[in-house]
């Protein structure tokens, strides 16, 4: 079991923070179902079991673990670790969206936007689109190995801008950033109220110190 600290801002003035205990299997399950446009199917379970075996070196399988294992020595593969880190960021974005918006689902943004719109706008686009009670949430997910510190604001702003590069007329634009995943995981799941904050929001600055 992995303890994940989080900070949540729903974009409507609602803010909460706490700790969520997540099983190893739940993590790899969200590797699979993130952006899949459904909650869980039998094939997803099989894939998740395979994922848990494949990435087993990254899990300690201990109660109350605070982080994933960082592989060292001859088993260290920087490409595989970067891939795992990216998957963790997307999995936590999916997990927390479905936690905070029960019954919501996520779809791969580019796949849906291409199907609906055909030609898309230029630039980097969001990872996922979440649907909940007739509202649409554009979600950009990031996973980072270390603590971001003073670099958080720049990454948060770029992630928020990426979420806003939207062709599907979303209602909310979320930056989900999982940082420090190999020592003390913290997830920022934020859509601060209003759109003028991007260059100089005090809330983005304040969250560095959480």
């Amino acid at each position: 079991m992995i303890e994940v600290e989080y900070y949540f801002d729903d974009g409507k003035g609602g803010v909460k923070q706490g700790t969520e205990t997540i099983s190893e299997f739940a993590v790899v399950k969200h590797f699979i179902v993130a952006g899949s446009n459904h909650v869980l199917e039998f094939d997803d379970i099989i894939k998740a079991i395979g994922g848990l075996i494949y990435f087993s070196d990254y899990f300690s399988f201990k109660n109350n673990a605070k982080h994933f294992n960082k592989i060292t020595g001859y088993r260290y593969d920087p490409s595989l670790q970067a891939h795992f880190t990216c998957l963790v960021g997307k999995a936590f974005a999916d997990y927390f969206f479905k936690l905070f918006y029960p019954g919501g689902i996520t779809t791969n943004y580019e796949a849906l936007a291409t199907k609906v719109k055909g030609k898309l706008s230029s630039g980097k686009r969001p990872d996922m689109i979440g649907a909940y009670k007739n509202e649409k949430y554009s979600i950009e997910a990031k996973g980072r190995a270390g603590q971001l510190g003073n670099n958080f604001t720049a990454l948060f702003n770029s992630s928020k801008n990426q979420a806003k590069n939207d062709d599907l007329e979303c209602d909310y634009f979320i930056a989900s950033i999982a940082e420090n995943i190999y020592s003390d995981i913290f997830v920022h799941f934020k859509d601060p109220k209003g759109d003028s904050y991007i260059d100089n929001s005090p809330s983005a600055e304040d969250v560095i110190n959480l």
Side-chain angles (χ1 to χ4, degrees), residues 5 7 17 146-157 177 179-180 184 186-190 192 199-210:
E5 294 183 75
Y7 179 92
Q17 61 188 102
Q147 187 171 9
L148 292 166
N150 291 333
N151 295 320
F152 176 84
T153 301
L155 179 61
F156 178 80
N157 288 344
I177 299 174
E179 65 169 325
N180 223 18
D184 192 7
F186 199 108
V187 174
H188 310 263
F189 193 94
K190 290 167 59 64
D199 293 324
N200 55 11
S201 169
S203 62
E205 295 289 347
D206 292 343
V207 79
I208 295 172
N209 299 316
L210 288 174

Side-chain angles (χ1 to χ4, degrees), residues 101-128:
Y101 304 99
I105 61 170
T106 61
T107 301
N108 178 284
Y109 183 94
E110 188 128 356
L112 181 62
T114 301
K115 184 176 181 178
V116 173
K117 297 290 186 178
K119 186 178 180 180
L120 303 181
S121 57
S122 61
K124 294 181 179 180
R125 285 175 286 277
D127 286 307
M128 297 183 289

